[in-house]
């Protein structure tokens, strides 16, 4: 089940529990606005190239819309084709993206008739925009949901090309975003520098407006504590859940799963393919192996990811035992506990967890079913599904990623008694601190990091308590408690504003 279908299914179940009017229910599902623009820029070599930029603005009943901007090849909405091929150097089949790359292999002796066509799911962005609406409502911050980006491969563009592309995109949408309209933030393939360019270009039209984006550099009004916010929010949410069950972080065994990818080689060429079921998203196209390091590929450089690494660090500092982690390079395990500070140092030096001396390598596919108390999937969606749900031995699952658990797996795990803290609560620390940044920018008064962290803990703890109350009211699991809470808050705001007028 893809992300949009799963999100819509959860929404409809929550709507039934709440007894929403059918017309209001339909209104809440339809996006407020969908924007698609052409972005043409000169490349460094003088040639012109065009990209498609987009923005889905889902709902603004509770405040300005909020959500990330991603730069990613999939966002163009084109079909991606994979073929199983092999060369004369060995019999091992590999996956290669795109007929253009396939045709460059003049010495291929064999091309299999086996071919898989993967249609890039255009509904995912719509689902993520919708999910942000419910997530901000669960966190009780005054936003609605949005999502957007540009269909490009940022690793193939120079810094100056990325800047030109960002500025052209901003020129096309500047009258549709704004401090009290729609506030973008970084996402896959973008960062604080991207936000700085958007801020600067937007300010040319509207005057200096630091609150138009969040996730900015601190020197331009970014908030202290933002880098660690999602991981720290995961910690606070986990503490609240474990406290409810008479436990604490200390002494619990944790597994942190970052991503499930496969890197395979043909000569000097590597193709990295995301293996998420159903969505099956393509991460990037084939490149020479040496280029990955020179271009500073974010996934490898992050080790087991910003969210995963911060969650591991904070769990370790609070007495938790991290027994296994994975990332793009592989997976490792130490049942006695991994020395997380040493591991983090290793991932920076070696671009991944592979080869870490303080743990044993294990099969990446097995990490989700290793024995632990708390499993934290921090990868892309769909990693927990009906194929592996029966094998999961964790007592608690904390969804640090968006949509890591398929609905079919939800049902299986629920019957097993596994408690799942859903993504719209567990990973809301990032957008919550983005809200703090927005508030600081509007007030022109910046907070110290201690205040940011204390306020984040307050919001995450209150959010968990509110979800639990909805679970008791509607006799449902945490995921449906979170959805009923978020949907109810948005529905009430919509009705109060007079949605039928």
């Amino acid at each position: 089940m893809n992300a949009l279908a799963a999100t819509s299914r959860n929404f409809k179940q929550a709507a039934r529990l709440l007894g929403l009017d059918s017309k209001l229910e339909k209104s809440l599902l339809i996006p407020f606005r969908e924007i698609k623009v052409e972005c043409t820029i000169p490349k460094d070599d003088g040639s012109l190239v065009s990209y498609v930029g987009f923005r889905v603005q889902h709902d603004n009943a509770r405040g300005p819309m909020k959500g990330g901007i991603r730069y990613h090849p999939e966002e163009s909405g084109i079909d991606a084709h994979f073929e199983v091929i092999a060369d004369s150097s060995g019999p091992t089949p590999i996956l290669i993206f795109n007929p253009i790359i396939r045709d460059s292999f003049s010495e291929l002796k064999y091309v299999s008739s086996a071919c898989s066509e993967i249609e890039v799911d255009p509904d995912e962005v719509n689902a993520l925009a919708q999910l942000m609406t419910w997530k901000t409502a669960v966190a009780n911050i005054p936003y609605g949901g949005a999502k957007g980006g540009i269909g490009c491969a940022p690793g193939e563009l120079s810094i100056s090309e990325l800047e030109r592309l960002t500025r052209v995109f901003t020129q096309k949408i500047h009258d549709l975003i704004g401090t009290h309209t729609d506030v973008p933030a970084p996402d896959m393939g973008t960062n604080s520098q991207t936000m700085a360019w958007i801020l600067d270009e937007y300010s040319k039209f509207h005057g200096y407006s630091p609150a138009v984006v969040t996730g900015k550099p601190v020197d331009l009004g970014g908030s202290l504590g933002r880098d660690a916010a999602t991981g720290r929010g995961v910690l606070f949410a986990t503490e609240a859940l474990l406290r409810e069950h008479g436990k604490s972080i200390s002494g619990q065994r944790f597994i942190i799963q970052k991503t499930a990818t496969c890197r395979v080689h043909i000569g000097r060429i590597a193709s990295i393919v995301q293996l998420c079921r159903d969505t099956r998203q393509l991460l990037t196209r084939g490149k020479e192996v040496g280029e990955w390091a020179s271009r500073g590929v974010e996934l490898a450089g992050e080790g087991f990811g910003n969210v995963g690494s911060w969650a591991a660090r904070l769990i370790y500092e609070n007495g938790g035992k991290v027994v296994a982690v994975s990332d793009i390079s592989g997976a490792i395990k130490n049942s006695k506990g991994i020395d997380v500070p040493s591991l983090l140092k290793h991932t920076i030096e070696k671009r991944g967890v592979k080869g870490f001396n303080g743990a044993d390598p294990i099969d990446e596919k097995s990490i989700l079913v290793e024995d632990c108390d708390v499993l934290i999937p921090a990868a892309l969606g769909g990693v927990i599904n009906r194929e592996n749900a029966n094998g999961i031995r964790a007592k608690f699952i904390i969804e640090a990623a968006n949509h890591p658990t398929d609905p079919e797996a939800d049902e299986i795990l629920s019957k097993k008694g596994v408690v799942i803290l859903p993504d719209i609560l567990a990973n809301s620390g990032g957008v919550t601190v983005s809200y703090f940044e927005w508030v600081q920018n509007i007030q022109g008064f910046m907070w110290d990091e201690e205040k940011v962290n204390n306020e984040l803990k307050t919001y995450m703890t209150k959010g968990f308590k509110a979800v639990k109350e909805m679970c008791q009211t509607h006799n449902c699991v945490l995921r449906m408690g979170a959805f009923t809470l978020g949907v109810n808050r948005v529905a009430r705001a919509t009705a109060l504003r007079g949605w039928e007028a």
Side-chain angles (χ1 to χ4, degrees):
M1 184 176 293
N2 68 27
L4 181 61
T7 303
S8 297
R9 170 175 160 165
N10 288 327
F11 167 80
K12 290 176 181 177
Q13 288 180 358
R16 283 196 297 270
L17 285 174
L18 293 167
L20 289 187
D21 177 87
S22 60
K23 291 182 291 185
L24 177 58
E25 178 183 339
K26 184 177 180 180
S27 175
L28 291 177
L29 272 179
I30 299 172
F32 172 78
R33 182 189 287 133
E34 294 187 21
I35 306 156
K36 193 173 185 180
V37 298
E38 179 190 22
C39 300
T40 300
I41 63 166
K43 297 198 73 176
D44 292 343
D45 62 7
S47 62
L48 290 178
V49 62
S50 293
Y51 300 95
V52 176
F54 64 95
R55 186 75 172 166
V56 176
Q57 298 172 328
H58 179 256
D59 190 274
N60 63 355
R62 300 182 66 254
M65 291 161 284
K66 188 84 182 75
I69 287 180
R70 55 175 56 183
Y71 289 179
H72 201 269
E74 290 181 358
E75 309 314 331
S76 61
I78 61 172
D79 288 350
H81 301 269
F82 291 86
E83 290 185 329
V84 181
I85 63 178
D87 68 353
S88 56
S89 64
T92 305
I94 69 167
L95 292 173
I96 288 292
F97 167 78
N98 197 308
I100 296 173
I101 294 177
R102 175 200 65 199
D103 293 343
S104 68
F105 291 91
S106 59
E107 297 182 2
L108 289 178
K109 305 299 182 185
Y110 157 73
V111 177
S112 170
S113 59
C115 178
S116 172
E117 181 177 300
I118 299 177
E119 183 178 337
V120 175
D121 187 359
D123 290 335
E124 186 195 8
V125 171
N126 197 317
L128 292 173
Q130 184 189 143
L131 199 64
M132 280 298 292
T133 296
W134 317 133
K135 182 184 294 186
T136 53
V138 169
N140 205 21
I141 55 180
Y143 288 141
K147 205 74 174 182
I150 302 174
C152 69
E156 297 178 359
L157 299 176
S158 68
I159 296 297
S160 59
E161 289 168 341
L162 284 170
E163 180 176 355
R164 287 194 289 273
L165 180 58
T166 301
R167 290 184 182 277
V168 169
F169 182 47
T170 306
Q171 291 165 14
K172 295 294 182 76
I173 67 168
H174 74 87
D175 55 346
L176 298 171
I177 62 173
T179 301
H180 300 290
T181 306
D182 179 2
V183 183
D187 201 319
M188 185 186 303
T190 59
N191 54 27
S192 60
Q193 179 60 70
T194 315
M195 297 304 105
W197 291 329
I198 295 175
L199 163 60
D200 183 70
E201 195 64 28
Y202 179 87
S203 296
K204 293 176 182 178
F205 295 93
H206 302 277
Y208 183 59
S209 308
V212 69
V213 290
T214 60
K216 302 180 294 295
V218 173
D219 289 341
L220 290 177
S223 179
L224 296 171
R226 179 61 185 86
D227 286 346
T230 306
R232 194 176 296 277
V234 167
L235 171 74
F236 293 149
T238 304
E239 284 180 330
L241 176 63
L242 292 177
R243 191 181 305 116
E244 182 75 16
H245 291 266
K247 303 178 185 295
S248 66
I249 295 287
S250 181
Q252 298 298 306
R253 297 168 301 152
F254 292 80
I255 287 178
I256 299 174
Q257 181 263 351
K258 168 55 186 170
T259 193
T261 59
C262 177
R263 179 179 296 183
V264 287
H265 297 270
I266 179 168
R268 295 176 60 230
I269 303 294
S271 178
I272 299 182
V273 179
Q274 174 65 31
L275 298 179
C276 288
R277 196 179 68 87
D278 293 336
T279 55
R280 294 174 297 176
Q281 299 172 315
L282 178 73
L283 277 176
T284 187
R285 291 185 281 187
K287 279 188 175 294
E288 293 189 7
V289 176
E291 287 190 48
W292 295 109
S294 66
R295 289 182 179 269
V297 176
E298 186 175 6
L299 277 173
E302 281 186 339
F304 47 107
N306 177 275
V307 177
S309 58
W310 273 107
R313 183 199 312 260
L314 295 167
I315 286 166
Y316 179 85
E317 290 174 357
N318 282 270
K321 185 187 292 185
V322 178
V323 296
V325 298
S326 71
D327 69 1
I328 196 171
S329 70
I332 58 172
K333 174 185 175 182
N334 184 339
S335 57
K336 295 181 180 179
I338 294 171
D339 183 340
V340 172
S342 297
L343 175 61
L344 293 174
K345 182 179 179 182
H346 173 87
T347 60
I348 292 171
E349 295 174 351
K350 305 296 183 181
R351 295 182 175 271
V353 301
K354 185 178 180 180
F356 179 62
N357 291 328
D360 298 319
I362 58 172
D363 185 351
E364 294 174 49
K365 296 178 182 178
S366 73
I367 190 164
L368 294 170
V369 298
E370 292 289 341
D371 188 27
C372 67
D373 300 308
V374 183
L375 172 62
I376 303 179
L380 299 179
V383 294
I384 300 175
N385 49 62
R386 62 186 176 187
E387 280 78 23
N388 58 23
N390 278 314
I392 288 176
R393 292 188 276 177
K395 303 176 184 68
F396 303 94
I397 295 176
I398 314 296
E399 294 186 334
N402 285 321
H403 181 55
T405 310
D406 280 354
E408 298 95 330
D410 244 349
E411 294 177 7
I412 295 170
L413 293 166
S414 180
K415 290 176 181 177
K416 290 176 60 177
V418 178
V419 179
I420 302 175
L421 193 64
D423 49 3
I424 60 173
L425 173 61
N427 68 22
S428 63
V431 71
T432 302
V433 174
S434 283
Y435 164 60
F436 298 163
E437 179 178 333
W438 181 73
V439 168
Q440 293 169 72
N441 293 158
I442 291 173
Q443 292 180 333
F445 183 80
M446 306 306 290
W447 303 353
D448 60 34
E449 190 167 356
E450 183 180 4
K451 178 176 175 63
V452 172
N453 293 340
N454 288 339
E455 291 291 339
L456 176 59
K457 184 171 186 177
T458 297
Y459 271 77
M460 296 299 298
T461 304
K462 284 183 176 179
F464 178 80
K465 289 180 179 178
V467 168
K468 283 296 296 182
E469 288 174 4
M470 293 300 279
C471 290
Q472 293 164 3
T473 299
H474 297 286
N475 189 29
C476 58
V477 297
L478 287 169
R479 187 182 308 283
M480 201 45 52
F483 266 88
T484 54
L485 175 64
V487 172
N488 187 51
R489 283 175 171 167
V490 177
R492 287 175 60 187
T494 301
L496 287 168
R497 292 184 63 165
W499 69 283
E500 290 182 303

